[in-house]
Amino acid sequence: MERDQAVRARGVGKWFGEVVALDGVDLDVGAGAVHGLIGPNGAGKTTLLGLLLGLAVPDRGELTVLGVTVGRALGVPDGVAGFVDGPGLYPSLSPRRNLRALAALRGLRPGRRSAVEATIDEVLDEVGLAEVADDPVRGFSLGMRQRLGLASALLTRPRLLVLDEPANGLDPTGTRQVHRTLTRLAGQGTAVVLSSHRMDDLAALCSSVTLLATGRVVFTGPVADLAAAHGALDYRLRTTDPDAARTLAGAVRGLVLVDDPHRAPAPDTLVVRAADPALDALVRRLVEAGIAVRELAPVVAPLEAAYLALTGSSDDHRGADHVHDHQGRPGDDHHGHRDRSELLTGQPA
C-alpha cells in the first residue's frame, strides 16, 4: 500500500445471513482526498463505512486502513474517527460535557486537562457550536447534533474521517460550516470518506465518488467523470418566443422535444432532451434568429441524472416531463430485505 493512501480495499465482501451487503468491493482513497459513497438505500454504504470504523470485519477480501491490514478482529488503527447512523450523544449533557466524557473514554490523562479543554473549545468553535456549548443536547435540532458528532470525531485530529450522511438535517449555515471544516481537513492531509444522498454536497466537496448498487461498485472515479456518464439530459428552455424556439428545436438533429405543447410548464418554457453538441446547435440557431434565451438549465442536475441512470431506476428520471423508456432491473428495490445499515447497527435506516 502506498504511503499516501488512507484506504485500500480489494474484493471486499460482507454478508449477514443470506443477505449479501458487499460483493467484491474495491476502493482507493488517498490522503487529503474527500471521497463520497453514494447509492440507493440498502446499497451497502453504511456497511462499508462500518468496516472502515472497525464496527465490523470483512468476510472476504483485503482491507487496509492507514497502512494496517484489517483482520478478523474488530478494531482499526489509531487515527480513524467518525460515525454511522448518526452520532451517539448523551442528551442530558451539554456539548462540552459530552466531549469531556468522550475524551475520558479515549484515555486522555487528567494531567493534560488544560490541553483537552483547549481542544474541546477549538472543535466546538470549528463546527459553530461555541455559543451553545453548555446547553443540554436534548434540545438540539438534528443538524446541531450532526455538527456535534463531527466535533467529537475531530477531538483526536484523525488522519481518516468517516462520516455517514454528515449533512443530514443541516440548514444552509450549518452546511457551509461543515463544508468549510471538511475542506480544511482535506487540505491538511486528512482523508475523508462520507456517504450522502445530496448531489450538491458531492459536487461541492468530493474529488471522487464510488457508486454502490446491491452491494457492488457500479462506478468509481472523479465526480466530473460520473456527471459526464449520462450524455443526454432534459433542459428547461425559456425564451422570448417559445413558438419559434419550438420550431427551431424540432429541426436540430439529436434533440428531442420532451414536453407536451398543450401542457407546457409555463407559457414561455420548453423542455428539450439533448447532449451538449445538439444543445449548442440550438442556442446558435436561437441567437441567429434574434430570440433571447432567458433560462437554460438542466431539469435534473447532471450528477443526479447519472446516478439515477447507473442505479437502474424504474423510470427515466432525466426530467420532470419525461418519456418512460427505461425499465429498472429486477431486484434493485430489495423487496423483502431489511436495509443493510439496519443489519449492521441494529437501528432502522
Side-chain angles (χ1 to χ4, degrees):
M1 178 173 177
E2 297 180 6
R3 182 173 297 179
D4 61 352
Q5 199 168 22
V7 176
R8 183 179 187 272
R10 290 294 179 271
V12 167
K14 183 65 183 177
W15 48 86
F16 302 94
E18 296 182 356
V19 177
V20 178
L22 297 173
D23 186 5
V25 169
D26 293 347
L27 178 66
D28 291 284
V29 182
V34 181
H35 189 88
L37 294 181
I38 56 175
N41 292 334
K45 304 183 298 296
T46 300
T47 300
L48 183 54
L49 294 178
L51 296 183
L52 299 182
L53 285 170
L55 302 178
V57 295
D59 294 316
R60 184 180 62 202
E62 181 180 297
L63 175 62
T64 307
V65 176
L66 297 179
V68 177
T69 299
V70 176
R72 293 295 181 258
L74 294 179
V76 289
D78 291 338
V80 181
F83 58 80
V84 294
D85 261 358
L89 304 168
Y90 295 105
S92 61
L93 301 183
S94 66
R96 190 185 308 281
R97 292 181 65 190
N98 263 282
L99 295 184
R100 283 175 182 164
L102 183 58
L105 287 172
R106 291 178 176 175
L108 299 180
R109 298 190 303 271
R112 300 184 60 193
R113 178 176 173 79
S114 60
V116 172
E117 290 297 325
T119 301
I120 288 173
D121 288 341
E122 178 184 331
V123 297
L124 287 173
D125 183 64
E126 177 81 40
V127 300
L129 293 178
E131 294 184 1
V132 294
D134 297 304
D135 295 346
V137 170
R138 68 163 53 93
F140 281 16
S141 67
L142 174 59
M144 294 171 72
R145 290 170 183 259
Q146 291 290 93
R147 283 189 277 161
L148 181 53
L150 176 58
S152 69
L154 298 180
L155 268 181
T156 56
R157 306 185 188 281
R159 294 161 54 204
L160 171 62
L161 186 60
V162 180
L163 302 172
D164 189 14
E165 296 281 355
N168 192 19
L170 293 181
D171 61 18
T173 299
T175 298
R176 282 196 299 272
Q177 285 178 309
V178 169
H179 283 197
R180 186 164 53 242
T181 296
L182 297 183
T183 301
R184 179 186 65 79
L185 290 170
Q188 294 175 348
T190 298
V192 181
V193 181
L194 60 90
S195 68
S196 180
H197 288 291
R198 293 175 53 167
M199 299 298 116
D200 54 342
D201 277 336
L202 295 170
L205 279 173
C206 297
S207 52
S208 57
V209 294
T210 293
L211 173 57
L212 295 171
T214 64
R216 295 175 179 149
V217 174
V218 176
F219 171 92
T220 189
V223 174
D225 288 356
L226 176 59
H230 197 49
L233 295 174
D234 286 359
Y235 290 88
R236 187 170 50 252
L237 173 65
R238 195 160 63 91
T239 68
T240 53
D241 190 341
D243 291 333
R246 179 181 296 279
T247 299
L248 289 173
V252 174
R253 177 179 295 181
L255 186 146
V256 177
L257 284 164
V258 178
D259 61 314
D260 184 335
H262 302 294
R263 296 187 296 105
D268 59 349
T269 303
L270 306 175
V271 176
V272 299
R273 177 172 300 157
D276 286 348
L279 199 66
D280 292 343
L282 174 60
V283 171
R284 284 195 299 270
R285 295 189 184 196
L286 292 171
V287 171
E288 291 169 356
I291 300 171
V293 177
R294 292 175 172 168
E295 180 185 13
L296 180 60
V299 175
V300 176
L303 198 60
E304 184 175 352
Y307 166 92
L308 292 168
L310 290 172
T311 54
S313 302
S314 59
D315 291 329
D316 183 352
H317 281 79
R318 285 175 292 190
D321 297 309
H322 51 270
V323 179
H324 298 272
D325 59 0
H326 182 84
Q327 296 299 317
R329 294 188 300 269
D332 280 357
D333 57 0
H334 310 292
H335 288 309
H337 294 302
R338 296 166 63 197
D339 186 274
R340 292 186 178 92
S341 64
E342 181 181 352
L343 288 164
L344 173 65
T345 64
Q347 299 295 325

